[in-house]
Amino acid sequence: MKRPAPVTELIEELKRLPGIGQKTAERLSFYLMRGPKEQAEKLSRAVVNIKEKIVLCKNCHGISDKELCDICSDARRDHGVICVVEEPYDVYVMENVGDFKGEYHVLMGVISPLDGIGPADLTIGELKTKTESREIKEIILATNPDMEGESTAVFIARMMRPFNVRVTRIARGLPVGGDIEYADPVTLSKSLEGRTEMKFSD
């Protein structure tokens, strides 16, 4: 039996979302179809609002509904300590730990030559500018402990060598090849607590 075109269209759009396969897309589609019209309208407004009202913070590149996010505009935070993460969502993951009181810097990805992504495609240049123009005491590298995350952390650490700034790497509480997004708060807290300084021999 052929589905009505609107149902097929919704299923195809839902399948574009990460982690949503054919079966899940079908279940979501039929759930929305059976539910009240107001529920579908509320969902569609929320999706449109994300595109219209959410911007990237001009300082950390995290998501915000203002020019500066709540973290970057908070005078109580230690703005001399920067935690570097890969994606905007990682900021919320780290904040849920509750131990970090500095600010963040979102790279918007990692260095991945196989995917054609180099340092110039990320916000690494902006991080360097911050270090040159502000008094930064420590940069904590909280990229994922996989090959791309490790190589990105090493690149940033080497870039920071000329500056008088402590560069640390979160500890190995995270499994190699793991993802910060899926780590539990206790593991992340221990990783922050046990971070080690990144040093290189000439």
Side-chain angles (χ1 to χ4, degrees):
M1 178 181 173
K2 187 176 180 181
R3 297 189 195 94
V7 177
T8 301
E9 182 183 4
L10 179 57
I11 291 171
E12 291 303 312
E13 290 303 317
L14 288 171
K15 282 165 57 179
R16 296 176 187 271
L17 300 174
I20 304 294
Q22 179 72 27
K23 293 294 185 184
T24 302
E26 290 174 353
R27 284 196 298 270
L28 289 172
S29 298
F30 284 101
Y31 173 80
L32 290 169
M33 188 171 54
R34 289 195 310 268
K37 181 181 178 182
E38 292 76 17
Q39 183 183 40
E41 289 174 341
K42 189 174 181 180
L43 175 61
S44 65
R45 281 197 303 272
V47 173
V48 171
N49 280 339
I50 281 181
K51 300 305 294 181
E52 291 183 347
K53 298 181 180 180
I54 297 300
V55 296
L56 294 181
C57 172
K58 72 172 187 178
N59 180 57
C60 73
H61 304 283
I63 59 175
S64 176
D65 57 355
K66 303 182 292 291
E67 191 175 48
L68 278 181
C69 69
D70 291 339
I71 295 172
C72 290
S73 59
D74 188 348
R76 296 169 298 179
R77 308 283 296 215
D78 185 350
H79 296 284
V81 179
I82 299 176
C83 181
V84 179
V85 296
E86 294 181 13
E87 301 291 348
Y89 181 72
D90 295 335
V91 172
Y92 290 91
V93 175
M94 299 298 289
E95 279 296 284
N96 285 337
V97 175
D99 292 345
F100 183 64
K101 303 303 179 186
E103 69 175 55
Y104 295 90
H105 183 89
V106 181
L107 296 171
M108 305 304 290
V110 287
I111 297 171
S112 179
L114 290 177
D115 297 316
I117 302 172
D121 300 305
L122 308 176
T123 63
I124 291 176
E126 287 92 329
L127 179 62
K128 183 179 180 182
T129 300
K130 282 183 191 178
T131 309
E132 291 171 330
S133 59
R134 290 166 45 190
E135 193 169 330
I136 306 298
K137 297 176 291 187
E138 181 181 3
I139 291 177
I140 303 170
L141 299 172
T143 52
N144 290 321
D146 53 23
M147 188 170 65
E148 291 82 7
E150 288 292 339
S151 62
T152 302
V154 169
F155 180 89
I156 294 172
R158 290 185 183 279
M159 183 182 71
M160 293 298 164
R161 289 178 69 181
F163 306 104
N164 186 28
V165 58
R166 184 174 182 235
V167 179
T168 57
R169 182 81 169 106
I170 56 174
R172 291 298 189 273
L174 294 171
V176 174
D179 197 314
I180 284 176
E181 178 180 348
Y182 302 111
D184 63 273
V186 174
T187 298
L188 276 176
S189 179
K190 292 299 182 185
S191 294
L192 268 173
E193 183 182 322
R195 62 185 183 270
T196 54
E197 191 161 358
M198 295 188 71
K199 296 180 179 179
F200 300 97
S201 58
D202 292 326

